[in-house]
Every structure is written in structure tokens, then in C-alpha cells.
Amino acid sequence: MTRIALALVAGAALVVFAAVTIGEYPLSAADVWLAALIVPALLGSIMSTIAKRRRAFWLAAGPLAGGAVGWGIGISTTWGIEPVPVDAWFALVFAALWPIGWGALMFSRPASTSQRALTPEYQSSTDGQLSDTGRVRGSEIGDP
């Protein structure tokens, strides 16, 4: 439970830092789109690494990153006094959605390498060496 709490604290700190950083610069299309890519990537990576729950924290990174980008847009435009560029709204939606899609796509696939390690051909013998049954299953990476 402490890893989850630490991941949430680190995520909250990153959201505040990202929002203040985005808000300090004038909004341009490149800045907002870069923030929409970088903030969710950092948020999802850091939180999922700390908590050791990859899918759950990547799914949570989307709304948190969208909030950080939106908060930064608000700070940059003095909370609506200056006009908000249309690109900023699209970047905000993109920042909120792409980590959810990434988490659903990447972490819902079966882990073929871990399942492959459970097959008898790849299990280690009693002396710690990998056993080889001599069966050929087909070409593999590195075969000539």
C-alpha cells in the first residue's frame, strides 16, 4: 500500500510541476502538443514504475495529465482573460486520452515471453543450467 501512496504523491507533484511549467510560457501549438506528449508519458512511467502496477497507473495517467495540461493552459491564458488557441483544446483532449489507449492496448496483451519461459524447453534443470530437449520448433530471431 505504501508504493501506491508514494506513486500518487509523485504523480500529484508532477501534475503541479507540469501545470506551472506549461503556464509560465506563452501558448504556441508546438509547446502545447509537446506537453500533451511529454507530461502523460512521464506521469504514466513514473507512477507505474513506483507502484509496480503498470496498467492501472497508465489508465490513471490520462485524466491526471489532461488536468495538468488544462491547468497549465488556464495559468498561461490568465484563466480565460486571453483567448485560448484551438490547438490547446485538442492537445488537452489528446493528453487525457492517449495514455488510456496505451494502457489498454499494451498491457492487455498476453505476455508471450513469460508464458514461453514456463514451457519445458526453457525451464532450468537442477544444476541451474537451461535444459534443451533438442526439439526444433521453427526459426527464431538470430537463426541464420
Side-chain angles (χ1 to χ4, degrees):
M1 194 64 171
T2 58
R3 283 187 171 272
I4 294 172
L6 185 61
L8 291 174
V9 168
L14 184 62
V15 164
V16 171
F17 179 74
V20 170
T21 303
I22 294 168
E24 287 298 315
Y25 296 99
L27 287 181
S28 70
D31 294 339
V32 146
W33 283 104
L34 280 173
L37 286 173
I38 293 171
V39 171
L42 283 175
L43 196 59
S45 298
I46 289 172
M47 288 178 20
S48 65
T49 301
I50 292 173
K52 305 274 183 178
R53 293 196 173 148
R54 298 185 72 107
R55 181 180 174 145
F57 279 94
W58 268 102
L59 295 176
L64 289 174
V69 171
W71 189 4
I73 291 170
I75 293 170
S76 182
T77 61
T78 322
W79 300 105
I81 293 175
E82 296 174 19
V84 178
V86 175
D87 281 352
W89 295 116
F90 287 119
L92 186 146
V93 171
F94 179 71
L97 293 181
W98 83 256
I100 295 171
W102 175 262
L105 177 69
M106 294 307 292
F107 302 114
S108 65
R109 292 190 290 171
S112 61
T113 56
S114 64
Q115 290 173 353
R116 186 174 173 189
L118 297 176
T119 59
E121 294 89 17
Y122 291 98
Q123 290 180 353
S124 61
S125 61
T126 56
D127 62 351
Q129 299 295 321
L130 291 176
S131 62
D132 185 12
T133 61
R135 287 187 272 166
V136 177
R137 293 175 305 186
S139 62
E140 294 182 357
I141 296 175
D143 285 347

